[in-house]
Amino acid sequence: MPVVEESVHIARPQQEVFDFVSRFENLAVYDRFVVASGQVGDGPVRLGTRGRGTSSYMGQRSDWTVEYTDFQPPRRMVSRSVEGKRDVTVTFMLEPVDGGTRLTELIEVRSGLGFLDKVPARLVSFILGWSLRGNLKALAKWLAENPNT
């Protein structure tokens, strides 16, 4: 299945961007397909923290739970599906650049895309890349417009 990688420049310090994207409750702010999300349990976000949410894509809703399997503030975090229809790993890599942060997101989908599981991987990668670019642009715009976040 496809692996998609996209990057965006965000005019905010690396730690601020990391703190924002590591909180599961912020997913719905920039991911157009996430209807609701939040952290499972209390406490600080760290290795092993789980997030739970609901996504809606092409009229299909799906519930999911992911867990941070790698967590290295403010440089890198990886979440992996532990419950739900989709088997997905999402990696965020952050680096300081040009007075802000370059955020790179890599998504690896192994299964669970419904009818897209039957579509050629190249087309699925194109669709996921388009979606990911839009989400990252929305994130950069939202963080620019909300400097106190």
Side-chain angles (χ1 to χ4, degrees):
M1 287 308 293
V3 175
V4 178
E5 180 177 322
E6 295 289 337
S7 296
V8 68
H9 180 269
I10 299 175
R12 296 277 289 269
Q14 182 181 12
Q15 185 68 54
E16 289 180 14
V17 176
F18 185 92
D19 290 345
F20 186 83
V21 297
S22 67
R23 291 191 304 266
F24 290 106
E25 63 270 17
N26 292 334
L27 272 170
V29 168
Y30 63 91
D31 188 323
R32 72 183 91 191
F33 302 112
V34 174
V35 177
S37 62
Q39 182 174 320
V40 177
D42 295 324
V45 178
R46 57 187 167 84
L47 183 66
T49 296
R50 287 187 173 198
R52 180 173 293 136
T54 302
S55 296
S56 180
Y57 184 73
M58 299 184 83
Q60 295 183 354
R61 291 177 71 94
S62 63
D63 296 323
W64 47 264
T65 303
V66 298
E67 179 178 308
Y68 282 130
T69 58
D70 187 359
F71 198 77
Q72 302 173 38
R75 300 180 303 107
R76 178 181 167 86
M77 67 187 128
V78 179
S79 63
R80 173 90 194 257
S81 302
V82 293
E83 294 176 15
K85 294 178 184 177
R86 294 181 177 95
D87 185 2
V88 178
T89 298
V90 177
T91 302
F92 283 102
M93 296 164 285
L94 299 89
E95 58 184 316
V97 62
D98 298 328
T101 302
R102 175 178 307 147
L103 173 66
T104 300
E105 185 174 1
L106 183 133
I107 298 177
E108 180 181 357
V109 181
R110 284 172 294 285
S111 66
L113 292 176
F115 78 91
L116 287 178
D117 283 333
K118 297 175 181 150
V119 173
R122 186 173 174 163
L123 180 57
V124 174
S125 293
F126 175 80
I127 293 167
L128 290 177
W130 170 81
S131 174
L132 183 54
R133 280 188 300 281
N135 288 345
L136 290 176
K137 286 179 185 177
L139 172 63
K141 181 179 180 198
W142 196 90
L143 286 172
E145 293 173 351
N146 296 277
N148 296 322
T149 315

